[in-house]
Amino acid sequence: MDVLVPFAAERPKTRLESVLDGEERVAFARAMLVDVLAAVDGTGRSPTVLATAPVDVDHPVTVDDRPLTPAVNQRLGDATAVLMADLALATPAAVDRLFAPDAGVVLAPGLGGGTNALVTRHPEFRVDYHGASYRDHRRNADRVGATVATVDSFRLAVDVDERTDLTEVLLHGDGSARDWLVDAGFELAQTDGRVDVTRAAR
Amino acid sequence: MDVLVPFAAERPKTRLESVLDGEERVAFARAMLVDVLAAVDGTGRSPTVLATAPVDVDHPVTVDDRPLTPAVNQRLGDATAVLMADLALATPAAVDRLFAPDAGVVLAPGLGGGTNALVTRHPEFRVDYHGASYRDHRRNADRVGATVATVDSFRLAVDVDERTDLTEVLLHGDGSARDWLVDAGFELAQTDGRVDVTRAAR
């Protein structure tokens, strides 16, 4: 099965601009990509990066500068998996769960209505990553008559887009993205509610 | 195995005060409690509500007005499960996963460092729900020599404390908490990032 990892190589992670400058966002996004690729490697599968511009990683890279949805749809084969590049908590065990259900379409929901990972085995299924894509993907699967299964995974549900997501990486990550944050001075900060992050002055 | 569901019967869900008034927060918290109890029922287990004040539900209720940590610790027996009352996405399948690992302590992490559900089979393990409890519970388990397993579940990771969590209930819930939100006029609202909620004028 083809395993695609789409990656926005230019101006990634704009919603982290309150805590990371432009160069840092590029470096942190790449660290997360490396972690996702390692998690896929750990399942015995071979991922391909589908990037908007060339990126230097130890895996095959296909460049397509179109938006995510058409770039992915053009490459959906008989059996294809698509994992977002910002799943910094992904582990081989979590990724493996995506391949377990015997369904036409398997969806791993992300926080806030996204689809962080999916498998399609149905030739007519198409993705649409705009907006509440989880709901749209369920609908698209129903429309083409594909059976749907979901994967109930915290590690696949956390895509790292916002400041609060950095907390999860510090708490539960164990790869290069977590190392990058620690090296950059991030640490956990207690609050009355959920744990936050702070950054030490350099 | 005893299954405890702690419930703050008075002034619950204060971090939802920007979107729900006091009476609404009480009603919504109770709807979530009912969903959690139903999810535990669905596994064939019998939950007990551990409430800070009497609450009218179709399950046994034990009242203890102390803070969460001492109230739970006093009731940890040889084998005890503790599930938070605000896990509005909990399903029998998700709850069952808590009982599967053969470990002294099983932890289901919550967003932001919490511990949304746990099983302890070790007589010396104690809870500490203050702050980043997930980390503390791992440490407490290590200290008493208990093996630790974690449950990688999105449905158990989402405790409903903040406005953004309502999005998850609308998208993935199918019980009384979701019905309550829909009846109260909440609906999904598209944004540039994660899906948000809006509330219709009454």
Side-chain angles (χ1 to χ4, degrees):
Chain A
M1 183 178 303
D2 290 338
V3 180
L4 299 176
V5 180
F7 182 66
E10 293 160 320
R11 302 196 68 248
K13 298 290 125 199
T14 50
R15 282 189 280 151
L16 288 173
E17 66 190 353
S18 67
V19 284
L20 296 177
D21 70 27
E23 271 183 43
E24 288 172 334
R25 295 199 301 276
V26 168
F28 180 58
R30 192 182 174 288
M32 294 198 285
L33 171 65
V34 166
D35 287 345
V36 172
L37 295 171
V40 176
D41 280 342
T43 71
R45 292 178 178 82
S46 300
T48 298
V49 180
L50 175 58
T52 54
V55 51
D56 180 29
V57 288
D58 294 332
H59 288 80
V61 177
T62 301
V63 174
D64 187 329
D65 64 2
R66 290 178 297 171
L68 181 59
T69 295
V72 168
N73 276 332
Q74 172 159 335
R75 289 169 179 83
L76 291 182
D78 287 344
T80 310
V82 185
L83 281 91
M84 295 299 113
D86 57 357
L87 307 183
L89 306 188
T91 57
V95 174
D96 250 337
R97 292 177 56 200
L98 201 59
F99 300 94
D102 181 23
V105 172
V106 182
L107 302 173
L111 290 171
T115 308
N116 284 355
L118 63 82
V119 162
T120 172
R121 302 181 177 94
H122 194 288
E124 292 166 66
F125 177 79
R126 293 292 175 272
V127 298
D128 178 359
Y129 283 107
H130 187 77
S133 69
Y134 175 75
R135 228 171 24 168
D136 295 336
H137 288 150
R138 289 198 75 106
R139 225 174 262 153
N140 290 1
D142 287 346
R143 197 174 294 138
V144 301
T147 54
V148 177
T150 58
V151 177
D152 175 28
S153 169
F154 170 62
R155 291 189 171 276
L156 299 182
V158 176
D159 50 329
V160 181
D161 282 324
E162 302 182 358
R163 173 200 175 101
T164 56
D165 305 325
L166 302 183
T167 303
E168 309 301 343
V169 181
L170 286 176
L171 278 165
H172 303 290
D174 68 349
S176 51
R178 181 178 190 278
D179 290 346
W180 191 94
L181 288 177
V182 171
D183 288 347
F186 284 91
E187 53 193 65
L188 297 173
Q190 205 60 67
T191 73
D192 285 344
R194 290 176 178 160
V195 179
D196 197 3
V197 292
T198 56
R199 188 170 187 181
R202 308 330 297 280
Chain B
M1 184 179 301
D2 291 337
V3 181
L4 300 176
V5 180
F7 182 66
E10 293 159 321
R11 304 196 65 249
K13 298 290 128 200
T14 49
R15 281 190 278 153
L16 287 173
E17 67 190 355
S18 68
V19 283
L20 295 176
D21 70 28
E23 271 184 43
E24 289 172 333
R25 295 199 301 276
V26 168
F28 180 57
R30 193 182 172 288
M32 293 198 286
L33 171 65
V34 166
D35 287 347
V36 172
L37 295 171
V40 176
D41 280 343
T43 71
R45 293 179 178 82
S46 301
T48 298
V49 180
L50 175 57
T52 55
V55 51
D56 180 28
V57 289
D58 296 333
H59 288 79
V61 177
T62 300
V63 175
D64 188 329
D65 63 4
R66 288 179 297 171
L68 180 60
T69 295
V72 168
N73 276 332
Q74 173 159 338
R75 289 169 179 81
L76 292 182
D78 287 345
T80 311
V82 186
L83 282 92
M84 295 297 115
D86 58 357
L87 307 183
L89 306 188
T91 57
V95 174
D96 250 338
R97 291 177 57 201
L98 202 58
F99 299 95
D102 180 21
V105 172
V106 182
L107 302 173
L111 290 171
T115 308
N116 285 355
L118 64 82
V119 162
T120 171
R121 302 182 178 92
H122 193 287
E124 292 166 66
F125 178 79
R126 293 293 175 273
V127 299
D128 179 357
Y129 283 108
H130 187 78
S133 70
Y134 175 75
R135 226 171 26 166
D136 294 337
H137 287 150
R138 289 199 75 106
R139 226 174 263 156
N140 291 0
D142 287 346
R143 198 174 294 139
V144 300
T147 55
V148 177
T150 57
V151 177
D152 176 28
S153 168
F154 171 62
R155 291 189 170 277
L156 298 182
V158 176
D159 50 330
V160 180
D161 282 323
E162 301 182 359
R163 174 200 175 100
T164 54
D165 305 324
L166 303 182
T167 303
E168 309 301 343
V169 181
L170 285 175
L171 277 164
H172 303 290
D174 69 349
S176 52
R178 181 178 190 279
D179 290 348
W180 192 94
L181 287 178
V182 171
D183 288 347
F186 284 91
E187 54 193 62
L188 297 173
Q190 204 61 67
T191 73
D192 285 343
R194 289 176 179 160
V195 178
D196 196 3
V197 293
T198 56
R199 189 171 186 178
R202 310 325 302 275

